[in-house]
Amino acid sequence: MRGAAIMLLSAGLGFLPAAQAQQLDAYRTLNGALSAAAAARNESAASALDQLNAADRALAELNSSLTDRQLASTLAGTLGEARAALARQPADLEAQTLHARALARQALYTQTTADLLQYGLNGETRPRLEQLAADFDLDQAQSVALLAAANRGDIPDVTTRLQQAAARQAVRLLEPWSLNATLSQSEAYLRLVQANGWHFILQEARDIPSTQADSYAEVIALVADREAAQAAPQIRALYFAALQTAQTRERAMQPVNLPPPSETAGANTTAASTTSLSEEEQLTAALYGTLARALTSAISNEQALTREQLQAAEAWPAPCRRTGRVRRPNNSQITLPASLTALACALGTLSAA
């Protein structure tokens, strides 16, 4: 893979304003074709080429909605590099397709958050935000909280949640270096390319040093040139930087507010209409958030904060923690997801430790 390190960008693409329809179908087709091209390479270069042709057609359809013509050209150039990579190792093609997908994802993120600021959550921005939730691998509770933030007009919280998810993805990809695990050259290379793609989401934030983008470029080049040992200390530094970013964003997330049990049914109806969340969804998101903050602070060895979050979760009604059911003032019950119940049931042991 010498000389095959991908070209990195310090800025992203953008889509035209929400008044001009977001071409989500083309975006999805582009991503699907790029993924299929990488998967087909091991079996047939011809099949991979067919998928790259499909990606070119999708990009041509998407092209009219991209605002930055220079960067749109760069994305097209990345597809050209993917074609050239067909003659090299499969990992080279996969790296180029991953790079292209990261650029398209950043484009969707950048313009969606901008349009949310200008237009709010509406029939056009909501599908895009839902697509981002899927692309960022948010679970149901995280997606509910993301949409709730957009619905109440708290766009900084939307970006905080998406940036936290991006940082969490980078942490996952870079974790083997923190454990001194042994990776093949191709696996190390692809992990770094993907982590760099997630860094695209973070690089414009004011608290992210611009030198991190340079660091990603350097370590990718080193690994491509079979200098993994030399790159390891710098990669570990990137891992801990991503972990710190994830923790910082986790603390900055706005909690999902639940209506107090004493509120009247009419008040609860009003709350539901302003957040578009059911009582079950609000309760699930709030308790997941409490548990997630406890886990994050535990990872960073912040014992006092960990205990505070565990005690907050422990304060939920015992029926909720032990059976997954919560009795409401009208004597009816709601049931939480089994996964959340299992986590909550462990709190007694954890908080007593």
Side-chain angles (χ1 to χ4, degrees):
M1 285 178 287
R2 184 177 180 83
I6 61 174
M7 178 173 60
L8 306 177
L9 297 181
S10 60
L13 301 170
F15 293 97
L16 291 177
Q20 303 188 35
Q22 174 65 38
Q23 300 182 31
L24 272 180
D25 286 344
Y27 171 83
R28 292 163 180 159
T29 300
L30 174 64
N31 278 334
L34 289 169
S35 180
R41 174 61 182 84
N42 284 325
E43 298 181 1
S44 168
S47 296
L49 180 58
D50 287 342
Q51 293 298 332
L52 290 177
N53 289 337
D56 277 333
R57 291 191 295 271
L59 180 58
E61 183 179 346
L62 189 63
N63 192 50
S64 62
S65 66
L66 299 176
T67 57
D68 191 316
R69 304 318 308 158
Q70 180 180 351
L71 293 175
S73 177
T74 301
L75 180 54
T78 303
L79 291 184
E81 289 295 326
R83 287 175 178 275
L86 283 171
R88 300 194 295 267
Q89 300 179 40
D92 290 326
L93 172 61
E94 187 171 356
Q96 295 296 339
T97 59
L98 288 169
H99 182 52
R101 291 176 65 188
L103 291 174
R105 181 177 60 225
Q106 189 199 11
L108 184 62
Y109 164 84
T110 300
Q111 192 58 39
T112 299
T113 52
D115 286 348
L116 283 169
L117 278 171
Q118 185 171 359
Y119 304 109
L121 189 66
N122 57 31
E124 188 172 344
T125 55
R126 185 184 183 99
R128 282 189 271 160
L129 189 58
E130 290 173 340
Q131 181 66 51
L132 286 172
D135 289 351
F136 282 60
D137 199 27
L138 300 189
D139 62 26
Q140 182 178 4
Q142 292 164 340
S143 299
V144 165
L146 179 72
L147 289 168
N151 200 45
R152 66 176 180 265
D154 191 351
I155 311 310
D157 193 43
V158 170
T159 59
T160 294
R161 290 177 180 278
L162 290 173
Q163 288 176 7
Q164 198 271 348
R168 193 172 62 241
Q169 293 286 352
V171 168
R172 174 183 61 82
L173 291 160
L174 300 177
E175 187 175 26
W177 282 274
S178 74
L179 303 174
N180 294 316
T182 301
L183 301 174
S184 68
Q185 185 201 14
S186 61
E187 182 180 358
Y189 181 61
L190 293 173
R191 279 180 173 270
L192 290 172
V193 169
Q194 290 179 82
N196 178 66
W198 286 109
H199 184 70
F200 290 169
I201 303 298
L202 304 170
Q203 62 191 5
E204 299 302 324
R206 287 178 294 180
D207 63 331
I208 303 298
S210 60
T211 53
Q212 286 188 23
D214 296 333
S215 293
Y216 274 107
E218 290 171 10
V219 297
I220 289 173
L222 285 170
V223 171
D225 287 345
R226 300 184 182 278
E227 298 291 345
Q230 183 180 342
Q234 202 169 354
I235 297 172
R236 281 193 287 271
L238 288 170
Y239 165 81
F240 286 112
L243 182 61
Q244 181 180 20
T245 299
Q247 294 167 350
T248 300
R249 298 300 188 274
E250 180 71 41
R251 297 189 193 100
M253 287 181 191
Q254 295 300 313
V256 178
N257 296 320
L258 297 178
S262 59
E263 286 188 354
T264 65
N268 285 333
T269 300
T270 301
S273 65
T274 57
T275 63
S276 298
L277 300 177
S278 68
E279 186 176 358
E280 292 91 336
E281 289 171 331
Q282 293 184 55
L283 184 58
T284 297
L287 190 45
Y288 262 130
T290 301
L291 293 170
R293 285 188 289 275
L295 177 60
T296 300
S297 56
I299 291 174
S300 58
N301 201 30
E302 299 180 18
Q303 297 181 4
L305 184 57
T306 301
R307 187 173 297 279
E308 176 184 332
Q309 295 299 329
L310 289 174
Q311 288 173 345
E314 185 74 5
W316 291 92
C320 161
R321 291 186 290 107
R322 303 308 174 193
T323 67
R325 294 188 297 276
V326 177
R327 188 171 298 279
R328 297 178 291 190
N330 63 3
N331 211 36
S332 63
Q333 292 184 340
I334 59 174
T335 302
L336 298 176
S339 59
L340 179 56
T341 303
L343 283 171
C345 286
L347 289 175
T349 302
L350 289 171
S351 59

